[in-house]
Amino acid sequence: MKLSGAHVLVTGATRGIGLALAEAFAGAGASITAVARPGPRLDELACRGWRTAAADLSRVQDVDGLVDRAASAGGPVDVLVNNAGLNVAVVLRELDADTLRRVLTTNLLAPFELARQALPSMVDRCRGAVVNISSIAGELALRNQVPYCASKSGLTHGTRALQRELRGTGVAAHPVVLGLVATDMIHDLSADPVGGQMAKRFDRLPALDAAVVANRVVRVVERGRGAVVMPALAAPAHYLRLTPTYLTDGLLAGIR
Ligand SMILES: NC(=O)c1ccc[n+]([C@@H]2O[C@H](COP(=O)([O-])OP(=O)(O)OC[C@H]3O[C@@H](n4cnc5c(N)ncnc54)[C@H](OP(=O)(O)O)[C@@H]3O)[C@@H](O)[C@H]2O)c1
C-alpha cells in the first residue's frame, strides 16, 4: 500500500512501540491519528501535527464508534494499528476481577472491535490494512501471565484467521509477533517480584529496538502482505503453532 497521504490510526501511540510506529508511518508520509488515554502525553502529540483521540480501550463505551470519530476528523482510516496493550505479572488466583477484565479487553477485545469498525470501509475501497501488535508470550504459555498470554495468543491466532477472511479483498491483516522490546512495559514487569525473576532469566536475550520493529512493520504494510516475527529466534514457536492451520488451508482449498 502506498502510505503517502494514508490515514493511519495507532493505538497506544504515546510511548514505546506505539510512538515508534506512529513516527515511522509519519516518516513514510502518512497522516496520523494517535489514540491513548487522556493526559499530557497524548496532548503533547498534537504538537507533531498528529490528530489525537482520547480513549481508554478497556472501556467499551470509549471503543464504540472510535473509528468513525477518527474518520470524521481525518478521512477514512486506511491502516489500523492495534498496538495498545498492558501486562501484569501476578498469579491468576491473586488477580482482581477489574485488572483481569482490563487486560483482556484492552489486549484482545478492543483490537478486533476496532477492526470490525474499520474493515467495511477498507473492503469497500479495496484498500487497507489491520496491524495487530502481539507477543511471543502468546505462543509460550508463561505462568504468572495468564491474562497476557491468553490475550496475545488470541490476538495472534485471530489475526491469522482474519488474513484468511480478507483474501481477495485488497485489504491485509498483519500479525506482529514480538519478543522483548526495550520499553516501559518490560521495566514495569521487572519491578514486580515475579516479573523481575523472569526478566533476570531472559536478561541474556538482547531486547529489540522499537524503531527497528516499527520500520519493519511499515515495510510489511507497504508490501501489502505478510507478518512480522522478531527476533528470528521467535519464528519456530510461531510457525510451529500454525502448522495445523496450513494443513487446514490445504483441506479447504477451492472453498470460497
Ligand atoms: N515491550 C515488549 O517487550 C513487548 C513485547 C511483545 C509485545 N509487546 C506489545 O507491544 C504493544 C506496546 O507495548 P509497549 O512495550 O510499547 O508498552 P508501553 O511502553 O507500556 O506502552 C503502552 C501503550 O499503550 C497505551 N495504553 C495502555 N493501556 C491503554 C488503554 N487502556 N487505553 C488506551 N491506551 C492504552 C499506553 O498509553 P497511555 O498510558 O498514555 O494511555 C501506551 O501508549 C503492547 O500491545 C505489548 O503487548 C510488547
Side-chain angles (χ1 to χ4, degrees):
M1 184 196 302
K2 191 168 152 278
L3 286 171
S4 176
H7 181 187
V8 180
L9 185 156
V10 183
T11 70
T14 49
R15 54 198 156 92
I17 301 166
L19 179 58
L21 284 163
E23 285 171 339
F25 278 106
S31 81
I32 305 295
T33 296
V35 175
R37 289 168 290 192
R41 280 204 193 102
L42 186 63
D43 297 341
E44 279 164 23
L45 296 183
C47 306
R48 296 168 179 247
W50 301 350
R51 283 175 300 278
T52 59
D56 180 342
L57 299 175
S58 69
R59 290 159 46 98
V60 172
Q61 57 273 40
D62 285 16
V63 176
D64 283 347
L66 180 58
V67 170
D68 277 350
R69 289 196 292 282
S72 307
V77 172
D78 298 302
V79 182
L80 166 67
V81 184
N82 285 307
N83 161 81
L86 73 157
N87 193 358
V88 282
V90 183
V91 289
L92 184 66
R93 61 186 180 277
E94 289 173 13
L95 197 60
D96 62 279
D98 186 52
T99 306
L100 175 61
R101 211 171 289 130
R102 203 153 44 84
V103 176
L104 291 175
T105 308
T106 308
N107 292 7
L108 182 61
L109 182 60
F112 287 118
E113 169 52 23
L114 293 177
R116 194 193 66 78
Q117 293 175 23
L119 280 168
S121 153
M122 291 182 184
V123 171
D124 280 352
R125 292 178 291 125
C126 286
R127 170 183 163 81
V130 175
V131 178
N132 285 339
I133 308 298
S134 195
S135 168
I136 193 64
E139 326 286 16
L140 295 183
L142 300 167
R143 71 193 177 102
N144 301 322
Q145 295 191 39
V146 170
Y148 190 70
C149 290
S151 60
K152 292 300 182 179
S153 178
L155 185 63
T156 303
H157 232 49
T159 311
R160 286 295 187 181
L162 185 60
Q163 279 185 319
R164 284 157 175 78
E165 246 179 57
L166 290 172
R167 277 181 188 149
T169 64
V171 178
H174 304 284
V176 178
V177 181
L178 301 175
L180 285 182
V181 187
T183 67
D184 290 352
M185 182 179 278
I186 58 173
H187 298 307
D188 294 350
L189 277 184
S190 309
D192 174 271
V194 179
Q197 297 238 5
M198 281 185 55
K200 264 190 207 150
R201 299 243 169 123
F202 285 123
D203 226 15
R204 283 182 214 104
L205 298 176
L208 297 161
D209 180 80
V212 173
V213 170
N215 287 327
R216 275 279 291 277
V217 171
V218 165
R219 283 206 300 277
V220 162
V221 172
E222 282 174 333
R223 197 173 66 201
R225 63 188 162 77
V228 172
V229 184
M230 292 175 80
L233 200 61
H238 176 66
Y239 287 103
L240 274 174
R241 192 163 75 115
L242 274 180
T243 307
T245 303
Y246 291 135
L247 292 172
T248 310
D249 285 344
L251 288 172
L252 297 178
I255 301 176
R256 299 183 69 83

